[in-house]
């Protein structure tokens, strides 16, 4: 089992990242410790330069994100934690895969359409080829499982398409003429209950680092007071909570808050509604805020402590990058060879 996933070090780690992805990164880390294999988790700093950015902020956010991930339970002794910029094999493999990925595939990516908007001429080339770098991230390590939220599904499908086309077009054959694959096809691992955590201000928009409203998201590093305020101000409707899941249909904001409660408490949505069905938000919101404060307080405390020691955070990344490079090089070499590129 080879687990891999990444996160962009832009802004704060929020509850959507945690429930959609990081929680599963930690769970997979435990599974790999018990069953064998490797977990590779990285900061997608090369992806972060696809949008306008301030260099000093990127450097600070990269270190803060390491502190936040460790505070959430990623153990740098058990998982390989690194940033792409220190493993140049990611960028190298991207170039090799640029020969396989098709313009039409990239043109269909919803993230490209959303982020470039109407200004395609002004968008960076990196934003367009972003999914090819993501394919390189995954394929470089022969990853088998990729824990992500729903919004990354399309990018992972593209990674599978790239792997399949590369294997078909370039992989060597054995004596029976069978393909000896260069790349493993990765499986996305998306949590059904928390695949898409929505904004607290608008139930139809996903919770996101790029939303200009701080009130739209709970950051993993928010203080107890901030969490209480954000939940209090979260958009809802005037109806009491229903007694079962079906009653949440068409009530995006209520559905989102109940889902957050369910996942954070380890209960099912129906289980939460068995407790709160018939109650109004006046009762439910304080209970949700209490639960979040209880669960996030230890993470916040650990984060505040870890973020101070930037030398230790840099050392984590350096050590992780060294291990990642060792795992990446054999696959990168196979890709060069398969393409007929002579390297002495
Ligand atoms: P990023 O940085 O946007 O998000 C990190 C992870 O958090 C998940 N996520 C969510 N899940 C549920 N609800 C939400 N509202 C929500 N918002 C974010 C994302 O699905 C993701 O799993 N392109 C990626 C980073 C990346 C990557 C990779 C991931 C680069 N290379 C290779 C996997 C494999 C990104 O920008 O994630």
């Amino acid at each position: 089992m080879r687990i891999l996933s990444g996160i962009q070090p832009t802004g704060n780690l929020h509850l959507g990242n945690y429930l959609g992805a990081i929680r599963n990164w930690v769970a997979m880390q435990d599974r790999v410790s018990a069953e064998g294999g490797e977990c590779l988790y990285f900061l997608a700093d090369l992806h972060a330069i696809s949008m306008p950015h301030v260099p000093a902020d990127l450097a600070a956010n990269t270190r803060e994100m390491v502190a936040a991930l460790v505070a959430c339970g990623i153990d740098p002794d058990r998982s390989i934690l690194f940033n792409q910029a220190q493993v140049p094999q990611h960028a190298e493999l991207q170039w090799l895969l640029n020969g396989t990925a098709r313009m039409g595939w990239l043109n269909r990516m919803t993230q490209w359409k959303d982020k470039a908007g109407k200004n395609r001429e002004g968008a960076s080339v990196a934003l367009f080829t972003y999914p090819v770098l993501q394919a390189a991230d995954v394929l470089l390590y022969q990853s088998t499982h990729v824990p992500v939220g729903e919004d990354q599904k399309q990018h992972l499908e593209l990674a599978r398409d790239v792997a399949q086309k590369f294997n078909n077009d370039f992989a060597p054959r054995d004596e029976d003429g069978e393909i000896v694959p260069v790349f493993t096809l990765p499986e996305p691992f998306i949590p059904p209950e928390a695949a898409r955590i929505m904004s607290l201000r608008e139930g139809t928009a996903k919770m996101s680092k790029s939303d200009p409203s701080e009130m739209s998201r709970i950051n993993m590093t928010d203080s107890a007071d901030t969490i209480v305020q954000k939940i209090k101000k979260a958009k809802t409707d005037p109806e009491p909570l229903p007694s079962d899941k079906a009653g949440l249909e068409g009530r995006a904001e209520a559905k989102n808050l109940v889902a957050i409660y369910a996942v954070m408490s380890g209960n099912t949505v129906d289980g939460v509604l068995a407790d709160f069905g018939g109650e109004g938000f006046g009762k439910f919101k304080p209970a949700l805020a209490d639960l979040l404060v209880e669960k996030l307080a230890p993470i916040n405390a650990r984060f505040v402590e870890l973020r101070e020691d930037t030398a230790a955070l840099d050392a984590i990344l350096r050590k992780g990058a060294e291990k990642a490079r060792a795992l990446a090089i054999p696959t990168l070499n196979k890709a060069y060879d398969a393409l007929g590129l002579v390297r002495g």
Side-chain angles (χ1 to χ4, degrees), residues 12 48 104 140 157 224 231 255 268 303 322:
N12 282 314
L140 191 53
E157 278 161 7
I231 295 296
K255 192 175 175 181
T268 59
F303 168 74
E322 203 175 302

Side-chain angles (χ1 to χ4, degrees), residues 1-5 28 31 143-147 186-189:
M1 221 180 180
R2 175 76 54 92
I3 316 297
L4 172 133
S5 199
M28 296 273 200
R31 208 169 137 192
S143 317
T144 55
H145 299 81
V146 185
E187 290 292 340
F189 185 83

Side-chain angles (χ1 to χ4, degrees), residues 106-118 120:
L106 298 180
N107 262 325
R108 282 195 286 278
M109 294 291 112
T110 54
Q111 178 184 282
W112 158 246
K113 291 193 240 175
D114 289 350
K115 289 203 173 162
K118 291 202 173 69
R120 289 202 179 182

Side-chain angles (χ1 to χ4, degrees), residues 4-10 13-22 25 42-44 47 65 84 90 111 115 130 133-138 146-153 155-156 191 194-199 205-209:
L4 172 133
S5 199
I7 183 164
Q8 291 196 63
T10 42
L13 186 66
H14 59 68
L15 196 62
N17 299 134
Y18 181 69
L19 297 180
I22 314 302
W25 294 15
F42 65 92
L43 310 178
H47 279 108
M65 191 62 90
Q84 285 168 321
H90 288 244
Q111 178 184 282
K115 289 203 173 162
Y130 181 116
L133 178 58
Q134 186 155 343
D137 299 335
V138 176
V146 185
V148 284
E150 169 80 27
D151 61 350
Q152 296 303 315
K153 195 168 168 211
H155 285 160
L156 292 181
R196 203 172 161 78
I197 299 295
M198 308 312 276
S199 156
K206 74 171 181 188
M207 187 178 284
S208 157
K209 285 175 237 171

